[in-house]
Amino acid sequence: MSVLAAHRVTLIPGDGVGPEVSEATRRVLEATGVEFEWDVQNAGLGVMDKYGTPMPDHVLESIRKNKVAIKGPLTTPLGKGIRSVNVALRKELDLFALVRPCKSYPGVRSRFQNIDLVIVRENTEDIYAGIEFQEGKPETAQMINQISAAAKKSIRPDSGLSIKALSITACKRIVNFAFEYARTHGRRKVTAVHKANIMKFTDGLFLQVAQDIAKEHPDIEFNDRIVDNMSMQLVQYPEEYDVLVLPNLYGDILSDLAAGLVGGLGLAPGANLGETVALFEATHGSAPKYAGMNRINPMAMMLSGVMMLRHLNETYAANMLEGAVAETIREGRYVTYDMKADRNDPTAVGTSQVADAIIGKLEKARTPTAI
Protein backbone atom coordinates (compact mmCIF):
# COMPACT_ATOMS: atom_id res chain seq x y z
CA MET A 1 0.00 0.00 0.00
CA SER A 2 1.21 3.49 -0.78
CA VAL A 3 2.47 5.49 2.21
CA LEU A 4 2.21 8.76 0.27
CA ALA A 5 -0.68 11.19 0.07
CA ALA A 6 -3.43 10.46 -2.42
CA HIS A 7 -2.47 10.98 -6.05
CA ARG A 8 -4.68 13.58 -7.70
CA VAL A 9 -5.37 12.31 -11.22
CA THR A 10 -7.62 13.63 -13.98
CA LEU A 11 -10.01 10.88 -15.10
CA ILE A 12 -11.71 11.33 -18.47
CA PRO A 13 -14.28 8.51 -18.84
CA GLY A 14 -14.60 9.00 -22.62
CA ASP A 15 -17.57 8.03 -24.75
CA GLY A 16 -18.81 4.89 -26.49
CA VAL A 17 -17.48 2.05 -24.35
CA GLY A 18 -15.18 4.49 -22.55
CA PRO A 19 -17.24 4.88 -19.36
CA GLU A 20 -17.43 1.11 -18.90
CA VAL A 21 -13.70 0.40 -19.31
CA SER A 22 -12.86 3.53 -17.30
CA GLU A 23 -15.01 2.43 -14.38
CA ALA A 24 -13.51 -1.07 -14.46
CA THR A 25 -10.03 0.45 -14.48
CA ARG A 26 -10.78 2.86 -11.65
CA ARG A 27 -12.01 -0.04 -9.52
CA VAL A 28 -8.90 -2.18 -10.02
CA LEU A 29 -6.56 0.76 -9.47
CA GLU A 30 -8.24 1.50 -6.15
CA ALA A 31 -8.09 -2.20 -5.25
CA THR A 32 -4.27 -2.05 -5.31
CA GLY A 33 -4.43 0.00 -2.11
CA VAL A 34 -3.00 3.12 -3.71
CA GLU A 35 -4.96 6.23 -2.74
CA PHE A 36 -6.38 8.36 -5.56
CA GLU A 37 -8.23 11.64 -5.66
CA TRP A 38 -10.04 11.53 -8.98
CA ASP A 39 -10.73 14.76 -10.86
CA VAL A 40 -13.43 13.51 -13.25
CA GLN A 41 -13.71 15.52 -16.47
CA ASN A 42 -16.01 14.80 -19.40
CA ALA A 43 -14.91 15.25 -23.01
CA GLY A 44 -15.87 13.93 -26.45
CA LEU A 45 -19.08 14.00 -28.41
CA GLY A 46 -21.22 14.10 -25.29
CA VAL A 47 -20.11 17.63 -24.40
CA MET A 48 -20.26 19.12 -27.92
CA ASP A 49 -23.70 20.67 -27.51
CA LYS A 50 -22.84 22.28 -24.18
CA TYR A 51 -19.35 23.61 -24.94
CA GLY A 52 -19.15 23.65 -28.76
CA THR A 53 -15.98 21.56 -28.66
CA PRO A 54 -15.20 17.95 -27.72
CA MET A 55 -12.24 19.12 -25.64
CA PRO A 56 -13.26 22.08 -23.43
CA ASP A 57 -10.53 24.31 -22.01
CA HIS A 58 -11.34 23.34 -18.42
CA VAL A 59 -10.46 19.71 -19.21
CA LEU A 60 -7.05 20.76 -20.51
CA GLU A 61 -6.53 22.94 -17.44
CA SER A 62 -7.33 20.00 -15.16
CA ILE A 63 -4.66 17.88 -16.85
CA ARG A 64 -2.11 20.69 -16.72
CA LYS A 65 -2.80 21.21 -13.03
CA ASN A 66 -2.75 17.56 -11.98
CA LYS A 67 0.13 16.56 -14.32
CA VAL A 68 -1.27 13.02 -14.62
CA ALA A 69 -4.41 11.84 -16.41
CA ILE A 70 -5.99 8.61 -17.56
CA LYS A 71 -8.78 8.49 -20.11
CA GLY A 72 -11.17 6.19 -21.86
CA PRO A 73 -11.51 6.23 -25.65
CA LEU A 74 -13.09 9.25 -27.35
CA THR A 75 -15.04 9.24 -30.64
CA THR A 76 -14.01 11.36 -33.62
CA PRO A 77 -16.59 11.29 -36.47
CA LEU A 78 -15.11 10.30 -39.83
CA GLY A 79 -15.08 13.04 -42.45
CA LYS A 80 -17.07 15.54 -40.34
CA GLY A 81 -14.43 18.26 -40.17
CA ILE A 82 -13.79 17.70 -36.45
CA ARG A 83 -10.13 17.19 -35.62
CA SER A 84 -9.25 14.11 -33.57
CA VAL A 85 -9.68 14.84 -29.87
CA ASN A 86 -6.71 12.58 -29.13
CA VAL A 87 -4.48 14.48 -31.57
CA ALA A 88 -5.67 17.79 -30.11
CA LEU A 89 -4.81 16.65 -26.59
CA ARG A 90 -1.31 15.66 -27.62
CA LYS A 91 -0.72 18.92 -29.42
CA GLU A 92 -2.18 21.21 -26.75
CA LEU A 93 -0.27 19.54 -23.91
CA ASP A 94 2.91 18.91 -25.96
CA LEU A 95 2.76 15.20 -25.22
CA PHE A 96 5.54 14.48 -27.68
CA ALA A 97 6.15 10.80 -26.92
CA LEU A 98 3.59 8.03 -27.22
CA VAL A 99 4.82 4.81 -25.61
CA ARG A 100 2.97 1.61 -26.49
CA PRO A 101 4.30 -1.64 -25.00
CA CYS A 102 3.32 -4.84 -26.82
CA LYS A 103 3.89 -7.82 -24.53
CA SER A 104 2.78 -11.45 -24.72
CA TYR A 105 0.86 -12.91 -21.79
CA PRO A 106 0.48 -16.69 -21.49
CA GLY A 107 -3.05 -17.74 -22.36
CA VAL A 108 -3.64 -15.11 -25.04
CA ARG A 109 -5.07 -16.35 -28.32
CA SER A 110 -2.27 -15.42 -30.75
CA ARG A 111 -0.07 -16.95 -33.45
CA PHE A 112 2.97 -15.49 -31.69
CA GLN A 113 4.60 -16.05 -28.31
CA ASN A 114 7.21 -14.26 -26.18
CA ILE A 115 6.74 -10.86 -27.81
CA ASP A 116 8.14 -7.94 -25.83
CA LEU A 117 8.31 -4.78 -27.94
CA VAL A 118 7.94 -1.09 -27.14
CA ILE A 119 6.76 1.39 -29.76
CA VAL A 120 7.99 4.96 -29.18
CA ARG A 121 6.06 7.25 -31.51
CA GLU A 122 6.66 10.95 -32.11
CA ASN A 123 3.35 12.57 -31.29
CA THR A 124 3.27 16.16 -32.52
CA GLU A 125 4.45 16.39 -36.14
CA ASP A 126 4.28 14.50 -39.45
CA ILE A 127 1.01 14.22 -41.39
CA TYR A 128 -0.90 14.10 -38.10
CA ALA A 129 -0.09 17.75 -37.39
CA GLY A 130 -3.22 18.49 -39.43
CA ILE A 131 -1.73 20.97 -41.89
CA GLU A 132 -4.25 20.31 -44.66
CA PHE A 133 -5.86 22.08 -47.58
CA GLN A 134 -9.27 20.98 -48.83
CA GLU A 135 -9.79 20.20 -52.52
CA GLY A 136 -11.49 23.00 -54.43
CA LYS A 137 -10.68 25.83 -52.01
CA PRO A 138 -8.93 28.98 -53.33
CA GLU A 139 -6.12 28.65 -50.81
CA THR A 140 -5.57 25.07 -51.96
CA ALA A 141 -5.22 26.19 -55.57
CA GLN A 142 -2.71 28.80 -54.43
CA MET A 143 -0.68 26.20 -52.52
CA ILE A 144 -0.77 23.81 -55.48
CA ASN A 145 0.60 26.50 -57.77
CA GLN A 146 3.32 27.53 -55.31
CA ILE A 147 4.43 23.98 -54.54
CA SER A 148 4.36 22.94 -58.19
CA ALA A 149 6.55 25.91 -59.13
CA ALA A 150 9.00 25.43 -56.25
CA ALA A 151 9.31 21.65 -56.67
CA LYS A 152 9.17 21.74 -60.46
CA LYS A 153 6.66 18.91 -60.28
CA SER A 154 3.02 19.22 -61.24
CA ILE A 155 0.17 18.54 -58.82
CA ARG A 156 -3.28 17.81 -60.22
CA PRO A 157 -5.56 20.83 -59.63
CA ASP A 158 -8.31 18.67 -58.11
CA SER A 159 -6.04 17.51 -55.27
CA GLY A 160 -6.36 17.87 -51.53
CA LEU A 161 -3.10 18.50 -49.67
CA SER A 162 -1.65 17.28 -46.40
CA ILE A 163 1.74 18.71 -45.42
CA LYS A 164 4.34 16.40 -43.88
CA ALA A 165 6.78 18.35 -41.73
CA LEU A 166 9.51 16.85 -39.52
CA SER A 167 11.81 19.15 -37.56
CA ILE A 168 15.28 18.56 -36.15
CA THR A 169 13.91 19.66 -32.76
CA ALA A 170 11.14 17.04 -32.62
CA CYS A 171 13.32 14.29 -34.10
CA LYS A 172 16.05 14.88 -31.53
CA ARG A 173 13.56 14.94 -28.71
CA ILE A 174 11.87 11.66 -29.58
CA VAL A 175 15.06 9.75 -30.42
CA ASN A 176 16.74 10.89 -27.19
CA PHE A 177 13.59 9.82 -25.34
CA ALA A 178 13.76 6.36 -26.95
CA PHE A 179 17.39 5.85 -25.90
CA GLU A 180 16.74 7.06 -22.36
CA TYR A 181 13.67 4.82 -22.14
CA ALA A 182 15.74 1.85 -23.31
CA ARG A 183 18.42 2.56 -20.70
CA THR A 184 16.08 3.10 -17.74
CA HIS A 185 13.95 0.06 -18.61
CA GLY A 186 16.83 -2.36 -19.21
CA ARG A 187 16.30 -2.57 -22.96
CA ARG A 188 19.07 -3.61 -25.32
CA LYS A 189 18.39 -1.99 -28.68
CA VAL A 190 16.72 0.94 -30.44
CA THR A 191 15.54 0.68 -34.05
CA ALA A 192 14.66 3.82 -36.03
CA VAL A 193 11.89 3.22 -38.57
CA HIS A 194 11.56 5.45 -41.64
CA LYS A 195 11.06 5.74 -45.39
CA ALA A 196 14.23 7.75 -46.04
CA ASN A 197 14.85 6.04 -49.37
CA ILE A 198 11.85 7.92 -50.81
CA MET A 199 11.19 10.92 -48.53
CA LYS A 200 14.76 12.13 -48.33
CA PHE A 201 14.14 15.53 -46.76
CA THR A 202 11.68 14.46 -44.04
CA ASP A 203 12.30 10.82 -43.19
CA GLY A 204 15.87 11.34 -44.33
CA LEU A 205 16.20 14.06 -41.69
CA PHE A 206 14.69 11.75 -39.07
CA LEU A 207 17.19 9.02 -39.93
CA GLN A 208 20.18 11.37 -39.90
CA VAL A 209 19.20 12.74 -36.50
CA ALA A 210 18.72 9.19 -35.16
CA GLN A 211 22.14 8.12 -36.44
CA ASP A 212 23.80 11.16 -34.86
CA ILE A 213 22.11 10.68 -31.50
CA ALA A 214 22.89 6.95 -31.48
CA LYS A 215 26.59 7.87 -31.33
CA GLU A 216 25.90 9.59 -28.00
CA HIS A 217 24.49 6.34 -26.56
CA PRO A 218 27.15 3.69 -27.30
CA ASP A 219 25.81 1.43 -24.54
CA ILE A 220 22.58 0.85 -26.49
CA GLU A 221 22.62 -1.07 -29.78
CA PHE A 222 21.17 0.87 -32.73
CA ASN A 223 19.93 0.00 -36.20
CA ASP A 224 17.33 1.27 -38.66
CA ARG A 225 14.71 -0.24 -40.91
CA ILE A 226 12.60 1.02 -43.80
CA VAL A 227 8.97 0.97 -42.67
CA ASP A 228 7.62 -1.51 -45.22
CA ASN A 229 10.46 -3.92 -44.48
CA MET A 230 9.88 -3.36 -40.76
CA SER A 231 6.29 -4.51 -41.18
CA MET A 232 7.49 -7.79 -42.64
CA GLN A 233 10.25 -8.14 -40.03
CA LEU A 234 7.76 -7.78 -37.18
CA VAL A 235 5.73 -10.69 -38.53
CA GLN A 236 8.71 -12.91 -39.36
CA TYR A 237 11.32 -12.05 -36.70
CA PRO A 238 9.70 -10.05 -33.89
CA GLU A 239 12.21 -11.39 -31.38
CA GLU A 240 14.95 -9.40 -33.16
CA TYR A 241 13.48 -6.07 -32.05
CA ASP A 242 13.13 -4.26 -28.76
CA VAL A 243 12.42 -0.49 -28.81
CA LEU A 244 11.17 0.99 -32.08
CA VAL A 245 11.25 4.78 -32.54
CA LEU A 246 9.12 6.18 -35.35
CA PRO A 247 7.60 9.35 -36.78
CA ASN A 248 3.93 9.86 -36.05
CA LEU A 249 2.17 8.10 -38.95
CA TYR A 250 4.36 4.98 -39.02
CA GLY A 251 4.14 4.77 -35.23
CA ASP A 252 0.36 4.71 -35.39
CA ILE A 253 0.29 1.97 -38.02
CA LEU A 254 3.00 -0.29 -36.60
CA SER A 255 1.71 -0.02 -33.03
CA ASP A 256 -1.51 -1.68 -34.23
CA LEU A 257 0.49 -4.31 -36.09
CA ALA A 258 2.52 -5.01 -32.95
CA ALA A 259 -0.69 -5.15 -30.89
CA GLY A 260 -1.91 -7.83 -33.28
CA LEU A 261 1.14 -9.93 -32.42
CA VAL A 262 0.13 -10.08 -28.76
CA GLY A 263 -3.61 -10.64 -29.07
CA GLY A 264 -5.13 -7.40 -30.32
CA LEU A 265 -6.03 -3.92 -29.18
CA GLY A 266 -7.79 -5.25 -26.09
CA LEU A 267 -4.31 -5.76 -24.59
CA ALA A 268 -2.59 -2.64 -25.96
CA PRO A 269 -1.92 0.10 -23.37
CA GLY A 270 -0.44 3.51 -24.06
CA ALA A 271 1.19 6.51 -22.39
CA ASN A 272 1.41 10.01 -23.88
CA LEU A 273 4.34 11.73 -22.21
CA GLY A 274 5.62 15.30 -22.22
CA GLU A 275 8.13 17.22 -20.17
CA THR A 276 5.70 17.75 -17.27
CA VAL A 277 2.41 15.97 -18.14
CA ALA A 278 1.54 12.29 -18.59
CA LEU A 279 -1.71 11.01 -20.12
CA PHE A 280 -2.48 7.29 -20.10
CA GLU A 281 -5.00 5.62 -22.41
CA ALA A 282 -5.93 2.37 -24.11
CA THR A 283 -4.95 2.09 -27.77
CA HIS A 284 -8.38 0.95 -28.96
CA GLY A 285 -11.23 3.19 -30.08
CA SER A 286 -14.60 3.96 -28.55
CA ALA A 287 -16.59 1.19 -30.34
CA PRO A 288 -19.92 3.07 -29.92
CA LYS A 289 -21.97 0.13 -31.21
CA TYR A 290 -20.99 -1.78 -28.06
CA ALA A 291 -21.70 1.08 -25.65
CA GLY A 292 -23.63 0.00 -22.57
CA MET A 293 -23.41 -3.70 -23.43
CA ASN A 294 -20.83 -4.66 -20.75
CA ARG A 295 -18.95 -6.58 -23.41
CA ILE A 296 -15.63 -4.86 -24.15
CA ASN A 297 -12.28 -6.04 -22.81
CA PRO A 298 -11.03 -3.49 -20.22
CA MET A 299 -7.51 -4.87 -19.96
CA ALA A 300 -5.87 -2.38 -22.33
CA MET A 301 -6.96 0.50 -20.09
CA MET A 302 -6.07 -1.50 -16.97
CA LEU A 303 -2.57 -2.07 -18.35
CA SER A 304 -2.42 1.65 -19.10
CA GLY A 305 -3.19 2.03 -15.40
CA VAL A 306 -0.19 -0.19 -14.67
CA MET A 307 1.95 2.23 -16.68
CA MET A 308 0.45 5.12 -14.71
CA LEU A 309 1.26 3.45 -11.40
CA ARG A 310 4.88 3.05 -12.49
CA HIS A 311 4.97 6.69 -13.53
CA LEU A 312 3.71 7.59 -10.03
CA ASN A 313 6.50 5.43 -8.51
CA GLU A 314 3.93 2.97 -7.19
CA THR A 315 6.04 0.09 -8.45
CA TYR A 316 4.78 -2.57 -6.04
CA ALA A 317 1.15 -1.80 -6.86
CA ALA A 318 1.95 -1.75 -10.59
CA ASN A 319 3.57 -5.18 -10.43
CA MET A 320 0.69 -6.52 -8.35
CA LEU A 321 -1.91 -5.27 -10.80
CA GLU A 322 -0.05 -6.52 -13.87
CA GLY A 323 0.36 -9.89 -12.16
CA ALA A 324 -3.39 -10.06 -11.42
CA VAL A 325 -4.22 -9.23 -15.05
CA ALA A 326 -1.69 -11.81 -16.31
CA GLU A 327 -3.08 -14.50 -14.00
CA THR A 328 -6.64 -13.77 -15.14
CA ILE A 329 -5.54 -14.11 -18.76
CA ARG A 330 -3.64 -17.34 -18.05
CA GLU A 331 -6.61 -18.93 -16.30
CA GLY A 332 -8.90 -17.91 -19.18
CA ARG A 333 -12.07 -18.15 -17.13
CA TYR A 334 -13.12 -14.58 -16.37
CA VAL A 335 -12.27 -12.98 -19.71
CA THR A 336 -14.27 -11.27 -22.44
CA TYR A 337 -15.25 -12.92 -25.72
CA ASP A 338 -12.19 -11.65 -27.62
CA MET A 339 -9.91 -13.57 -25.23
CA LYS A 340 -11.65 -16.90 -25.76
CA ALA A 341 -10.47 -19.48 -28.30
CA ASP A 342 -13.97 -19.32 -29.78
CA ARG A 343 -15.34 -15.77 -29.87
CA ASN A 344 -18.85 -17.24 -29.47
CA ASP A 345 -17.92 -19.06 -26.27
CA PRO A 346 -20.94 -18.65 -23.94
CA THR A 347 -18.66 -18.66 -20.87
CA ALA A 348 -17.20 -15.26 -21.81
CA VAL A 349 -17.85 -12.63 -19.16
CA GLY A 350 -18.48 -8.89 -19.34
CA THR A 351 -16.36 -5.83 -18.66
CA SER A 352 -17.37 -5.48 -15.02
CA GLN A 353 -16.91 -9.20 -14.32
CA VAL A 354 -13.30 -9.00 -15.54
CA ALA A 355 -12.75 -6.20 -13.02
CA ASP A 356 -14.39 -8.30 -10.28
CA ALA A 357 -12.02 -11.21 -10.98
CA ILE A 358 -8.92 -9.02 -10.95
CA ILE A 359 -10.03 -7.24 -7.78
CA GLY A 360 -10.44 -10.65 -6.12
CA LYS A 361 -6.83 -11.51 -6.96
CA LEU A 362 -5.60 -8.13 -5.73
CA GLU A 363 -7.43 -8.51 -2.43
CA LYS A 364 -5.93 -11.96 -2.00
CA ALA A 365 -2.45 -10.63 -2.78
CA ARG A 366 -2.85 -7.82 -0.22
CA THR A 367 -4.10 -10.14 2.54
CA PRO A 368 -1.26 -11.37 4.79
CA THR A 369 -0.92 -15.14 4.77
CA ALA A 370 -1.69 -16.68 8.16
CA ILE A 371 1.18 -18.60 9.73
Side-chain angles (χ1 to χ4, degrees), residues 118-121 174-175 178 190-193 206 210 222 243-247:
V118 177
I119 304 288
V120 176
R121 166 187 168 190
I174 197 64
V175 175
V190 171
T191 301
V193 184
F206 177 82
F222 172 76
V243 176
L244 308 183
V245 60
L246 314 90

Side-chain angles (χ1 to χ4, degrees), residues 55-326:
M55 184 50 58
D57 288 342
H58 64 265
V59 179
L60 294 170
E61 287 308 310
S62 169
I63 300 172
R64 290 190 182 102
K65 180 180 178 181
N66 295 326
K67 309 297 186 187
V68 179
I70 186 167
K71 77 172 191 67
L74 295 166
T75 304
T76 298
L78 297 176
K80 300 293 185 181
I82 300 174
R83 306 301 307 178
S84 167
V85 180
N86 295 318
V87 172
L89 270 171
R90 297 163 191 165
K91 289 282 288 182
E92 287 291 330
L93 300 171
D94 197 26
L95 302 173
F96 67 89
L98 177 49
V99 178
R100 288 181 171 172
C102 296
K103 180 179 178 180
S104 296
Y105 291 98
V108 170
R109 179 172 53 86
S110 174
R111 294 179 174 86
F112 299 86
Q113 302 295 325
N114 302 316
I115 306 296
D116 191 4
L117 297 167
V118 177
I119 304 288
V120 176
R121 166 187 168 190
E122 203 288 318
N123 227 3
T124 64
E125 293 193 332
D126 202 354
I127 293 292
Y128 280 28
I131 307 171
E132 293 192 287
F133 297 86
Q134 185 178 352
E135 181 274 326
K137 296 290 186 179
E139 58 269 25
T140 308
Q142 182 181 0
M143 288 297 301
I144 287 173
N145 291 334
Q146 291 178 348
I147 294 171
S148 296
K152 296 181 173 57
K153 294 182 179 179
S154 64
I155 300 174
R156 291 188 178 94
D158 58 348
S159 297
L161 300 178
S162 292
I163 305 299
K164 176 184 175 84
L166 301 184
S167 69
I168 291 175
T169 299
C171 292
K172 280 185 175 179
R173 188 165 64 168
I174 197 64
V175 175
N176 266 317
F177 178 95
F179 275 99
E180 291 299 331
Y181 182 95
R183 181 175 295 107
T184 58
H185 290 78
R187 297 280 174 166
R188 70 187 189 280
K189 179 166 63 175
V190 171
T191 301
V193 184
H194 59 87
K195 191 66 175 175
N197 57 323
I198 302 298
M199 286 170 279
K200 301 181 185 300
F201 302 130
T202 49
D203 286 29
L205 178 66
F206 177 82
L207 176 59
Q208 183 60 60
V209 168
Q211 290 170 334
D212 291 344
I213 289 177
K215 296 173 185 176
E216 302 171 9
H217 301 273
D219 56 317
I220 304 293
E221 184 182 349
F222 172 76
N223 62 6
D224 71 273
R225 292 288 182 269
I226 295 172
V227 63
D228 41 343
N229 179 47
M230 186 75 251
S231 301
M232 180 184 70
Q233 294 281 324
L234 283 176
V235 175
Q236 290 190 310
Y237 312 109
E239 69 279 358
E240 295 293 322
Y241 299 94
D242 194 358
V243 176
L244 308 183
V245 60
L246 314 90
N248 208 337
L249 176 63
Y250 308 147
D252 190 12
I253 296 169
L254 290 196
S255 61
D256 275 25
L257 189 158
L261 301 178
V262 299
L265 294 178
L267 292 171
N272 298 273
L273 304 173
E275 297 292 345
T276 61
V277 173
L279 170 66
F280 300 87
E281 63 180 351
T283 300
H284 63 73
S286 59
K289 70 178 181 179
Y290 294 117
M293 296 175 64
N294 190 40
R295 193 175 180 208
I296 293 298
N297 187 351
M299 289 181 175
M301 191 166 176
M302 291 176 177
L303 292 170
S304 300
V306 169
M307 298 178 75
M308 185 180 77
L309 287 169
R310 293 199 170 111
H311 177 78
L312 294 170
N313 294 317
E314 298 284 3
T315 305
Y316 179 78
N319 293 340
M320 187 167 55
L321 177 53
E322 184 179 16
V325 172

